[in-house]
Amino acid sequence: MTYRDLPWRPPLARDWAERMAEIEAVLSDGRAPDYATLKTLANQQLGMREELRVERAAKKLLKLDASDQAFAPVSLGLLGNRTLSYLPDPLAAAGLARGLAIASFEAPYDSVASFAFSPADCFGRSLDAVLVVLDETAFAGKRTLLDRAGEDAAIADAENLADALAEAARQKTGCPAIIATLPGAAQVSSAELATPGSSARFRHRVNLMLAEGAMEGRWLLWDQAALASRVGLETWLDPVRYHAAKIPFSVDVCPVAADNIASVLAAMKGKSARGVILDLDNTLWGGVIGDDGLAGIRLGQNSPEGEAFVAFQNFILGLRERGIVLAVCSKNTDEIAREPFRSHSEMVLKEDHIAVFQANWSDKATNIKSIAETLSLGLESFVFIDDNAAERERVRQELPLVSTIEIGDDPSFYIERIAQSGQFDHLPLNTEDISRAESYGGRAAAAEIRAKIGNYEDYLTSLEMRMTISPFDDVGRGRITQLINKSNQFNLTTRRYGEEDVRAIEEDPDQMGWQVRLQDKFAQHGMIGVVIVRKAPREWSIDSWLQSCRVLERGVEQCVMDRLFEAARDAGVARITALYVPTDRNKMVSDFYGRMGFEIAARNDDGSVAYVYDVAAYAPHKTFIDVEMQEKMEA
């Protein structure tokens, strides 16, 4: 099996053609297909014929009204100094496999300079992102061997171009630029990186510059170089077509390139996995703990297999450090299944790392649903890792939205398969991301306490919750933008704002943006809410109200609403208005403003509902959270 087969995906199902024909019939009727079915069909090891059918289905899907289908729409600009015309169709197909409906718009050939430096806008539309794919020839700057000053100047020119492209994307299309790194160059010598002026060294330095810019939030990154290295440079570049057709990488690698780009877009749209559910026997260690006992399982430094399992556990622990919540789902007796975590000296993962531990003899699909409910996460948020192909197939059939990765039979390759799947792709991490796993663990612990304490108010009091509310600022801007663009369920209007929009709200005296943070005795939950209010002298209007589902039913919204009306009253405001805009994802908050005490002012033709509340008549809610209002967020 090669990279072209996308080996981490499930094998092609026997009934794939029949099920795809049903999807095609639905699309031909102009109706939206079942989301889980189409996503599942797209996310398999497709041959060329199947790939073309998925591409055609994606094209038809894009012609439907976006509000009629569940795939998250992505409008993507394609900009390069070579042709990218062969990329939109594979991108659309790869998007379906990740729950995205990707519509690509390619700029005219070699529009890079005019887009970056002139008023011309080759896209003429708002976009979600502009993907910039340049090769070395796009960067001006004369370099000669051993001329370090000339090389420094060329790197500075490259950075100026990247800055100009990112700024043009923000100003002209209202979106971030995703800039591709440069694949490695053919090397004459092993000393290329130590030779100023060489192509290999220049590309390496450009890539480091791009990485620094991404870390600073100036643009996003598609690591084309890493993918080309994995595939092999000789395979990545087709020199004949590069010179004849001006294509930056081989047409043959388009599906894997498209899948890799789609994983970045999925991270942007909040479609990356948030949790991993692990089997135990022959997944975290070799052997069966119930049969082989603690001394009989293969884990540790005494065998190649044992070392591979240790490496895999370290990899999983690394995912947790990036905010991925861990859960266990094993057919085992609970006490026996926990024994390695407690008593095996080579065990890297400990019980404290596992947010939910489900070891019993129930069906795994049932247990996975229970884990999702405990963590208040949707099934699509999870990746299931199990060495047993039958169990993977069972979960696919029962829970098609759970991603099941084909990890293979040899634990030495588990890491490679999971990493290549792109399921855990993410944008540059922030502290809020890193603390997410702890927050989910805290949620599971809180759920356990809730089950023990019958009185709900006693339960809320026992959590010892503390909330801070502070205005938008540069420290929180990245996370605020992330929440605005990822939150779907607890989002009253689902209005999306980019980082520049958030910055504008910070600076606009007629708008107020609040970032809300929460902690309890179990965990720091970080930023869990965002509220944007448009202010007039006598009336405030709630533009956006969204919260993380990690902290549902804790009285967070009641606390924030109380503080909002206090602020309005202090400002002499007479009334607060609000709007609920229904989507296919936010039905859970359809009665939110009614529950808060608002009255319906109008039911609009588009299904939205307008609300109003006189400030003088507002009745505060009973809450169980200590709230601190801050002038700015404490670093």
Side-chain angles (χ1 to χ4, degrees):
M1 188 170 291
T2 69
Y3 68 88
R4 176 66 179 78
D5 303 303
L6 305 179
W8 53 90
R9 287 185 178 181
L12 196 69
R14 290 182 178 178
D15 62 348
W16 189 95
E18 291 79 7
R19 296 175 68 194
M20 193 65 201
E22 294 172 1
I23 292 289
E24 290 165 343
V26 170
L27 286 167
S28 295
D29 289 343
R31 294 179 287 126
D34 179 73
Y35 172 75
T37 302
L38 181 51
K39 185 184 178 196
T40 301
L41 292 172
N43 186 35
Q44 296 186 20
Q45 293 170 20
L46 308 177
M48 291 184 64
R49 181 177 301 176
E50 291 81 15
E51 173 79 17
L52 289 173
R53 290 180 69 175
V54 174
E55 290 177 4
R56 285 198 293 267
K59 285 181 181 177
K60 291 181 179 178
L61 188 75
L62 290 173
K63 294 178 181 177
L64 301 180
D65 189 327
S67 62
D68 291 339
Q69 44 103 350
F71 288 87
V74 178
S75 54
L76 179 68
L78 299 177
L79 180 68
N81 65 326
R82 301 288 169 183
T83 181
L84 300 172
S85 301
Y86 49 88
L87 200 50
D89 288 349
L91 260 178
L96 294 186
R98 296 183 186 275
L100 306 174
I102 302 175
S104 300
F105 304 92
E106 186 184 7
Y109 181 74
D110 203 7
S111 302
V112 175
S114 64
F115 184 72
F117 299 115
S118 81
D121 180 3
C122 51
F123 295 110
R125 63 173 65 231
S126 62
L127 297 166
D128 291 307
V130 173
L131 176 65
V132 181
V133 183
L134 307 176
D135 66 11
E136 187 180 342
T137 65
F139 299 100
K142 179 67 175 175
R143 308 187 314 274
T144 56
L145 284 182
L146 305 184
D147 180 2
R148 299 186 66 171
E151 184 181 81
D152 290 344
I155 294 296
D157 287 344
E159 187 164 8
N160 288 337
L161 176 58
D163 274 325
L165 288 166
E167 183 61 21
R170 278 192 291 270
Q171 295 295 328
K172 297 177 181 177
T173 66
C175 72
I178 303 173
I179 304 181
T181 54
L182 300 178
Q187 295 192 243
V188 176
S189 160
S190 292
E192 291 296 294
L193 291 180
T195 305
S198 72
S199 181
R201 179 181 163 92
F202 176 73
R203 296 185 191 198
H204 180 70
R205 290 192 61 187
V206 166
N207 290 346
L208 288 178
M209 176 272 292
L210 291 174
E212 287 295 315
M215 185 181 70
E216 294 164 1
R218 291 148 65 189
W219 50 72
L220 300 175
L221 207 62
W222 172 45
D223 199 352
Q224 179 190 203
L227 182 61
S229 177
R230 188 214 309 172
V231 168
L233 285 177
E234 296 78 8
T235 304
W236 186 257
L237 180 66
D238 182 339
V240 174
R241 292 185 179 177
Y242 175 81
H243 293 296
K246 313 301 182 191
I247 58 175
F249 48 81
S250 169
V251 173
D252 293 338
V253 302
C254 262
V256 71
D259 179 76
N260 204 246
I261 296 166
S263 72
V264 177
L265 298 175
M268 283 183 62
K269 287 291 183 178
K271 289 281 191 177
S272 294
R274 300 182 183 184
V276 57
I277 299 174
L278 298 155
D279 173 51
L280 297 179
D281 293 331
N282 292 312
T283 299
L284 288 189
W285 53 73
V288 178
I289 183 64
D291 295 335
D292 301 322
L294 195 64
I297 62 172
R298 300 179 293 283
L299 177 67
Q301 304 304 317
N302 294 326
S303 72
E305 185 186 15
E307 290 187 17
F309 282 115
V310 168
F312 179 59
Q313 289 196 25
N314 275 307
F315 172 77
I316 294 296
L317 189 58
L319 290 180
R320 186 181 185 277
E321 290 168 353
R322 293 169 186 247
I324 302 299
V325 63
L326 308 184
V328 160
C329 178
S330 172
K331 287 183 176 177
N332 253 310
T333 299
D334 184 86
E335 191 65 21
I336 294 174
R338 291 177 187 269
E339 196 175 359
F341 290 86
R342 294 170 175 171
S343 305
H344 199 293
S345 61
E346 300 276 3
M347 194 76 183
V348 175
L349 292 173
K350 306 298 182 186
E351 280 184 283
D352 289 348
H353 299 138
I354 309 298
V356 183
F357 201 107
Q358 289 274 10
N360 52 47
W361 298 100
S362 299
D363 177 70
K364 287 194 176 181
T366 303
N367 279 330
I368 289 172
K369 283 193 282 189
S370 173
I371 289 169
E373 289 169 2
T374 301
L375 295 172
S376 298
L377 283 171
L379 291 169
E380 200 171 6
S381 301
F382 289 101
V383 167
F384 176 57
I385 306 295
D386 194 320
D387 70 295
N388 188 318
E391 293 288 3
R392 294 198 298 269
E393 182 59 24
R394 167 69 177 159
V395 170
R396 277 187 207 115
Q397 290 177 359
E398 293 297 314
L399 308 173
L401 291 179
V402 174
S403 295
T404 56
I405 296 176
E406 290 297 298
I407 57 173
D409 299 324
D410 189 333
S412 302
F413 294 99
Y414 288 180
I415 296 173
E416 179 182 297
R417 290 286 181 86
I418 296 171
Q420 290 178 356
S421 75
Q423 290 290 342
F424 300 102
D425 207 332
H426 57 72
L427 304 184
L429 290 171
N430 54 45
T431 54
E432 304 280 351
D433 296 318
I434 292 173
S435 65
R436 193 184 304 127
E438 179 191 1
S439 174
Y440 285 125
R443 186 189 304 181
E448 187 176 343
I449 283 188
R450 181 176 175 179
K452 294 177 181 175
I453 301 178
N455 184 286
Y456 194 68
E457 292 186 357
D458 290 346
Y459 156 70
L460 291 177
T461 303
S462 75
L463 294 180
E464 301 172 11
M465 293 182 283
R466 296 180 297 284
M467 175 189 292
T468 60
I469 300 174
S470 55
F472 286 5
D473 56 19
D474 55 350
V475 176
R477 192 179 305 138
R479 174 61 175 161
I480 292 166
T481 307
Q482 189 183 58
L483 264 180
I484 289 173
N485 289 283
K486 288 172 64 174
S487 299
N488 291 304
Q489 297 181 88
F490 202 128
N491 193 332
L492 274 299
T493 52
T494 321
R495 289 171 177 149
R496 307 302 195 190
Y497 296 116
E499 198 158 321
E500 291 307 306
D501 301 314
V502 173
R503 188 197 304 273
I505 293 170
E506 292 169 28
E507 298 169 352
D508 186 350
D510 293 329
Q511 297 189 71
M512 180 174 75
W514 278 358
Q515 48 185 318
V516 182
R517 287 175 166 76
L518 185 73
Q519 67 179 88
D520 59 31
K521 68 179 182 181
F522 294 111
Q524 288 273 1
H525 298 283
M527 192 185 302
I528 48 84
V530 168
V531 177
I532 299 172
V533 175
R534 302 192 185 280
K535 301 190 296 183
R538 298 288 291 165
E539 179 179 301
W540 284 6
S541 176
I542 300 174
D543 175 274
S544 297
W545 187 299
L546 53 99
Q547 288 179 208
S548 167
C549 292
R550 285 180 286 162
V551 290
L552 292 176
E553 299 182 22
R554 293 191 176 195
V556 168
E557 55 268 40
Q558 288 84 353
C559 264
V560 178
M561 192 67 80
D562 285 356
R563 296 307 181 277
L564 179 62
F565 273 83
E566 285 178 12
R569 184 193 59 214
D570 294 345
V573 171
R575 64 179 189 169
I576 292 180
T577 62
L579 188 69
Y580 166 67
V581 180
T583 71
D584 62 327
R585 301 287 188 90
N586 70 354
K587 290 184 177 61
M588 67 179 291
V589 291
S590 60
D591 63 345
F592 172 77
Y593 285 119
R595 287 190 288 109
M596 292 294 111
F598 282 73
E599 295 180 355
I600 294 176
R603 293 186 183 277
N604 303 313
D605 293 341
D606 62 359
S608 63
V609 183
Y611 292 89
V612 64
Y613 205 148
D614 288 335
V615 172
Y618 182 76
H621 298 84
K622 185 176 183 180
T623 58
F624 302 86
I625 306 175
D626 291 333
V627 182
E628 179 184 359
M629 301 294 294
Q630 296 179 340
E631 291 299 318
K632 64 178 183 178
M633 193 185 86
E634 295 178 354

